[in-house]
Amino acid sequence: MKQETAAVAGNKGNIVAIVAMFFLFAMISFVTNLAAPLGTIWKNHYDWSGMVGNFMNFLAYLIMGIPAGAMLVKIGYKKTALWAMAIGAVGVFFQYLSGKVGTETPTFEVGGVPVMLNFLIYLLGAFICGFCVCMLNTVVNPMLNMLGGGGNRGNQLIQLGGSLNSLAGTLTPLFVGMLIGAVTKDTSISDVSPLLWIAMGVFVVAFIIISFVRIPEPHIHKKGEVKVKDKYSAWSFRHTVLGVIGIFFYVGLEVGIPGVLIFYLSDSEVSGITANATAVAGAVAAVYWLLMLVGRLSSSVISGKVSSRLQLIVASTVAIALIVVAIFMPVSIRVSMPAYSVEEGFSFAQVPLSALLLVLCGLCTSIMWGSIFNLAVEGLGKYTAQASGIFMMMVVGGGVMPLLQNAIAVSAGYMVSYWLVVAMLAYLLFYALSGSKNVNKEIPVDEIKDSIPDAV
């Protein structure tokens, strides 16, 4: 099995497939990272709504995770990716539509506050986009792991793809911050319409490009093949189950750290940023994603020699230390960080030192996804596609945990909410130290099929 996958990795024809997977990785981040900066617009209209769009985006993972894994088996990687592109374009269109219709008609009340139809349309768009990124994630992670032959090399390719993911994550909040500028009660989604049109155009172009790319289909079931009934599944592996929980927490903290940070810095009364607070917040969050890019590029260099387990141990430990210090850091201690506003262009703004410490966590979170996925699917063989679908289902943590963190931030304070992140990091440290060991090596993982004649 390993010799076969290594041969696949060495095939020059797969370079195109690898590049295509890298591109899809960037698309995932572009769509996902629209949620938090757009949430600052809605938060200024409804205090409770800042992370609701993000929650809807990730809620789709819970529904689509298992079906997406099944799609890999039934129609293959390429067709699954093409369906994802089409769905993503529809989702972004609904978000665009939310800035054009339903702005005058209240449809329901939350805490006595009338909520307009346009917000419901926006949430529907975010939900649809969630289906898109779930399907894309289901495609790119097992594909890159397979093209790399699993192990350290598989993790290396995932980290390289993650580097482009981080680059898109760096640019997205920066562009949105540039387009929004200062957020007021009059700011609406229509103010970022150009970005949404660009997003729809990118999906169309991506659809055309991927349709011409040849992508290996290792898990697709061809006509005439019948699988032997199996008493085992991906759920039979302890390290996979614990890894699924780890992915739930990881995506929650990866999104929650910069998401709540944006709200924290945008709140002038708390952060002390008096001019263009929203634009500054977007720029600082962009640095977080930029550091994720740096971290993933660095990891891609060392992953051929340094194990995923050791990388996860170091990253979790350092991240815990950074956040604990940030929680206790007085807001009066400040540092200069790069910012951008329409009025002043690029400049440096004085922000709390705690913001810099939280941003530095991007170096740590950068390597976690690839490390957890790599550790959790190691030795799964024929159960890898099923495990990928389960993993995508648990990415819903990126909606649930930031929503919970935001609720803590509203009730107890922004920095207090980061204790939730510390707890999630502690679990990842446990997983790296102990939970990632495969204790179910006796389970057979080779594919067994019976061939029958095609129906006439």
Side-chain angles (χ1 to χ4, degrees):
M1 173 69 76
K2 287 191 175 181
Q3 290 180 344
E4 181 181 343
T5 52
V8 172
N11 189 333
K12 293 182 179 179
N14 285 327
I15 294 177
V16 177
I18 292 173
V19 172
M21 293 304 105
F22 286 173
F23 179 74
L24 294 183
F25 239 135
M27 291 291 297
I28 291 168
S29 183
F30 178 69
V31 176
T32 301
N33 287 288
L34 283 174
L38 291 182
T40 61
I41 296 176
W42 294 110
K43 187 175 185 294
N44 211 43
H45 292 274
Y46 316 113
D47 291 338
W48 46 269
S49 67
M51 280 291 186
V52 177
N54 180 75
F55 172 77
M56 294 299 294
N57 190 270
F58 283 95
L59 178 63
Y61 279 87
L62 182 63
I63 299 172
M64 193 61 195
I66 298 297
M71 288 179 70
L72 292 188
V73 175
K74 187 173 183 179
I75 66 175
Y77 286 85
K78 181 174 179 177
K79 289 184 179 179
T80 302
L82 291 176
W83 270 106
M85 295 297 175
I87 292 172
V90 173
V92 174
F93 176 74
F94 270 91
Q95 289 181 312
Y96 163 78
L97 202 62
S98 70
K100 302 297 180 181
V101 300
T103 58
E104 303 295 335
T105 309
T107 55
F108 66 97
E109 291 189 355
V110 176
V113 179
V115 178
M116 302 297 177
L117 175 62
N118 63 336
F119 185 60
L120 290 180
I121 296 174
Y122 165 75
L123 293 181
L124 177 60
F127 185 65
I128 294 173
C129 282
F131 281 101
C132 163
V133 290
C134 175
M135 294 166 70
L136 290 179
N137 259 315
T138 308
V139 169
V140 299
N141 288 282
M143 175 58 73
L144 285 177
N145 195 56
M146 182 209 68
L147 291 173
N152 289 351
R153 173 62 177 167
N155 184 37
Q156 191 172 36
L157 282 184
I158 293 176
Q159 297 297 355
L160 278 171
S163 299
L164 290 180
N165 182 279
S166 298
L167 178 60
T170 301
L171 297 177
T172 302
L174 183 61
F175 284 159
V176 176
M178 291 166 58
L179 287 170
I180 295 176
V183 175
T184 68
K185 287 289 185 180
D186 297 323
T187 305
S188 70
I189 296 297
S190 62
D191 294 320
V192 293
S193 291
L195 180 65
L196 298 177
W197 277 112
I198 291 172
M200 284 184 276
V202 169
F203 272 119
V204 173
V205 173
F207 184 95
I208 295 173
I209 293 175
I210 297 298
S211 65
F212 287 100
V213 174
R214 180 183 176 277
I215 297 176
E217 302 289 357
H219 299 297
I220 191 170
H221 285 174
K222 298 177 181 178
K223 186 178 180 181
E225 291 180 339
V226 178
K227 292 187 67 179
V228 175
K229 188 175 181 181
D230 198 337
K231 65 178 180 179
Y232 298 108
S233 70
W235 292 109
S236 302
F237 296 82
R238 191 198 72 155
H239 72 293
T240 301
V241 174
L242 295 178
V244 165
I245 299 172
I247 284 291
F248 180 87
F249 286 148
Y250 161 69
V251 185
L253 67 91
E254 183 204 62
V255 175
I257 291 174
V260 173
L261 177 61
I262 288 177
F263 298 150
Y264 168 50
L265 296 179
S266 298
D267 191 335
S268 299
E269 295 182 2
V270 177
S271 67
I273 302 174
T274 56
N276 299 312
T278 302
V280 170
V284 172
V287 175
Y288 171 89
W289 294 105
L290 178 61
L291 290 179
M292 285 195 70
L293 169 62
V294 174
R296 282 171 171 166
L297 284 174
S298 301
S299 178
S300 69
V301 174
I302 67 173
S303 288
K305 296 182 179 180
V306 181
S307 70
S308 301
R309 180 173 177 268
L310 179 58
Q311 290 186 53
L312 187 57
I313 289 172
V314 173
S316 300
T317 302
V318 173
I320 290 172
L322 287 171
I323 294 179
V324 170
V325 174
I327 290 172
F328 290 104
M329 186 65 61
V331 71
S332 58
I333 301 178
R334 309 181 78 78
V335 65
S336 293
M337 292 193 68
Y340 180 89
S341 67
V342 176
E343 296 82 4
E344 301 177 6
F346 285 98
S347 61
F348 283 87
Q350 291 291 312
V351 302
L353 179 58
S354 56
L356 175 60
L357 295 174
L358 293 174
V359 163
L360 288 174
C361 288
L363 288 171
C364 302
T365 58
S366 63
I367 63 92
M368 291 180 176
W369 172 275
S371 296
I372 297 170
F373 186 89
N374 182 258
L375 289 170
V377 301
E378 188 67 23
L380 289 193
K382 63 181 178 180
Y383 303 109
T384 300
Q386 181 191 24
S388 181
I390 296 171
F391 268 89
M392 294 313 107
M393 181 179 69
M394 287 295 99
V395 172
V396 69
V400 174
M401 301 313 292
L403 194 66
L404 178 58
Q405 186 183 352
N406 187 60
I408 297 173
V410 171
S411 61
Y414 295 108
M415 298 312 298
V416 173
S417 72
Y418 281 95
W419 282 115
L420 179 63
V421 177
V422 171
M424 291 186 283
L425 285 168
Y427 176 85
L428 295 184
L429 181 58
F430 151 76
Y431 182 69
L433 290 170
S434 176
S436 59
K437 297 177 182 178
N438 184 0
V439 298
N440 304 106
K441 294 181 179 180
E442 76 284 355
I443 299 177
V445 296
D446 293 331
E447 189 73 55
I448 301 175
K449 297 177 182 177
D450 288 338
S451 295
I452 61 174
D454 292 345
V456 178

